[in-house]
Structures are given as structure tokens and as C-alpha cells.
């Protein structure tokens, strides 16, 4: 199935305009570091900073992430597999957390990212359902407390060629993160749930900072 589009609305374009250039700079820095390593130059440490020379602490870990128990992972673009991950297993035990994945186990297509966004929202609202007519089986979310969601999008090293801004493909990580925040994330916030992301394929601290900015950019708009 082929699916393509151009971003026309102001909000997605604003995210692209604000963050795409820096994502490409981070990719270039990766490539330069790799070339140096392949050329035999030792990889050294970054210059000393407050992070390495002074005392510091991070915010408290959310209670969800302290829960002991099973954490399960699987593609959230495939509804029956997503539902099974959220439901109790054969012995009646439910996972504490679900890493709903659009990266390693995803199809790396626009349609998979769109389906992931749709299924995540439906799961948060407990409306996700799938009918397998060949097996005469209906999948639905069981009653009881759901696992916490740990969203995993595609990495910032990937583009989505089927979504463009002025002919330039958008960053796949930015697209997935924005869709999740806008749909499932808002629904989670409305329910008082924590919104968590698993950040894949990070290589330096600057890349983690890049992921921090989509929500800040969105909140700064009127």
C-alpha cells in the first residue's frame, strides 16, 4: 500500500522548520565521527563540563517506571498483536508496561506510523478492537488496569520519504513523535497518565536534547 502526502498545516511545518535542520546536523556529526574512527583516530571524551565536574541530579523517576513486573514489546501498528500485549497472558498475569513499537518491529513505512498513531490513541481510550474474519476471532482490550505505555518511534537517522515539506522528506522520528504526542499523548494527559518515550539509537547527549524539543516547540505556539 502506497501512502504519501505533503505537510500543509502550520503546526507540522513549524516542527519541521524548527528541528529538521538540527537533526541533519546531528547526522552529519555522526558521519564525521565514524569517518574519524575508520581512519584510525581514537575516539576521545568530550571536554569537561558541569555535567562531569559538578554535582547534579535528575527529576524523580515516575512511579510507573518503578513497578516491578513484566515489560512486553511488540508492533503497535498490528492491532491484534498490540491488544495481546496489553491484555493478560494465558496465566492471567498482565504486563506492568508495554513498549509499543514503531521501530525495530515496525514496517518502516508511512502507513505503519499512521496505524501506530491510530492504534495508540484507541488503546489509551480502551477502544482498540480487531476482527479476524478468517479465524472468526475478535480481539478487544480486557477490563482492568492497562500497562503503562512506553512509545518507541523510528530513529532520527531515518527520513519518511512519503511525507515532504517543500520537496524535503520529514524526519521519521519527528513525524512519529509528533503524531504520538498530538493524539495518544493528549489523551494520556487528559487521563492523568505519564507520557513516556523510548529513544532508539542514540549516540550522543545532543541527540537526546533534540528529542526534548518537539513538545516545547508545540507548546510555544499560540
Amino acid at each position: 500500500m502506497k501512502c504519501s502526502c505533503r505537510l500543509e498545516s502550520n503546526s507540522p511545518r513549524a516542527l519541521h522548520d524548527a528541528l529538521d535542520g538540527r537533526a541533519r546536523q546531528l547526522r552529519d556529526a555522526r558521519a564525521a565521527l565514524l569517518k574519524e574512527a575508520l581512519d584510525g583516530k581514537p575516539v576521545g571524551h568530550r571536554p569537561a563540563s558541569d555535567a562531569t565536574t559538578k554535582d547534579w541530579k535528575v527529576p524523580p523517576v515516575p512511579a510507573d517506571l518503578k513497578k516491578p513486573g513484566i515489560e512486553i514489546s511488540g508492533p503497535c501498528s498490528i492491532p491484534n498483536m498490540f491488544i495481546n500485549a496489553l491484555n493478560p497472558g494465558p496465566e492471567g498475569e498482565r504486563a506492568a508496561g508495554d513498549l509499543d513499537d514503531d521501530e525495530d518491529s515496525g514496517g518502516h513505512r508511512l502507513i505503519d506510523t499512521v496505524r501506530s498513531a491510530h492504534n495508540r490513541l484507541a488503546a489509551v481510550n480502551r477502544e482498540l478492537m480487531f476482527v479476524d474474519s478468517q479465524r472468526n476471532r475478535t480481539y478487544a482490550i480486557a477490563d482492568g488496569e492497562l500497562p503503562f505505555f512506553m512509545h518507541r518511534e523510528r530513529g532520527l537517522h531515518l527520513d519518511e520519504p512519503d511525507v515532504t515539506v517543500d520537496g524535503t522528506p520529514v524526519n521519521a522520528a519527528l513525524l512519529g513523535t509528533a503524531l504520538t504526542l498530538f493524539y495518544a499523548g493528549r489523551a494520556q494527559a487528559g487521563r492523568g497518565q505519564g507520557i513516556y518515550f523510548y529513544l532508539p539509537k542514540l549516540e550522543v547527549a545532543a541527540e537526546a536534547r533534540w528529542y526534548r524539543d518537539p513538545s516545547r516547540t508545540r507548546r510555544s505556539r499560540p
Side-chain angles (χ1 to χ4, degrees):
M1 179 177 181
K2 184 69 171 178
C3 182
S4 63
C5 64
R6 293 181 299 161
L7 291 183
E8 299 291 351
S9 65
N10 289 334
S11 181
R13 286 185 65 99
L15 286 172
H16 172 85
D17 292 344
L19 300 173
D20 181 72
R22 189 144 57 90
R24 296 185 185 281
Q25 291 173 357
L26 291 168
R27 291 181 188 176
D28 291 342
R30 281 187 179 190
L33 187 62
L34 176 60
K35 183 179 185 304
E36 290 180 357
L38 293 175
D39 289 342
K41 181 179 179 180
V43 178
H45 296 287
R46 294 184 58 80
S49 67
D50 288 351
T52 57
T53 61
K54 295 184 178 181
D55 293 335
W56 54 273
K57 62 181 179 180
V58 299
V61 176
D64 286 337
L65 306 185
K66 294 180 180 179
K67 291 180 179 178
I70 300 168
E71 293 185 13
I72 196 166
S73 175
C76 53
S77 60
I78 303 175
N80 55 324
M81 294 184 69
F82 192 14
I83 292 168
N84 282 342
L86 296 173
N87 281 345
E91 298 180 359
E93 185 176 6
R94 204 169 208 154
D98 175 56
L99 194 157
D100 48 289
D101 189 26
D102 189 36
E103 198 237 354
D104 279 350
S105 63
H108 292 283
R109 303 173 300 168
L110 174 59
I111 189 61
D112 296 305
T113 295
V114 172
R115 285 172 176 162
S116 294
H118 174 274
N119 291 344
R120 284 166 171 155
L121 174 60
V124 171
N125 290 332
R126 307 187 71 100
E127 297 169 347
L128 185 60
M129 180 177 291
F130 178 74
V131 177
D132 187 336
S133 56
Q134 293 183 341
R135 298 182 180 180
N136 193 29
R137 182 174 179 181
T138 298
Y139 297 79
I141 294 178
D143 293 337
E145 183 181 358
L146 289 176
F148 66 79
F149 296 93
M150 180 70 72
H151 309 302
R152 179 159 69 173
E153 315 294 348
R154 288 181 283 174
L156 65 82
H157 59 293
L158 297 173
D159 284 331
E160 176 44 71
D162 289 326
V163 180
T164 61
V165 174
D166 299 330
T168 300
V170 303
N171 184 278
L174 179 58
L175 177 66
T177 302
L179 286 173
T180 298
L181 285 172
F182 189 81
Y183 292 105
R186 292 202 301 181
Q188 287 183 267
R191 291 173 176 266
Q193 298 175 358
I195 305 169
Y196 312 121
F197 284 88
Y198 178 109
L199 307 183
K201 310 295 190 290
L202 295 184
E203 296 188 6
V204 294
E207 295 177 1
R209 286 194 293 270
W210 181 86
Y211 275 95
R212 178 188 59 191
D213 291 337
S215 60
R216 293 186 174 186
T217 301
R218 183 67 187 90
R219 286 198 302 266
S220 68
R221 293 184 57 79

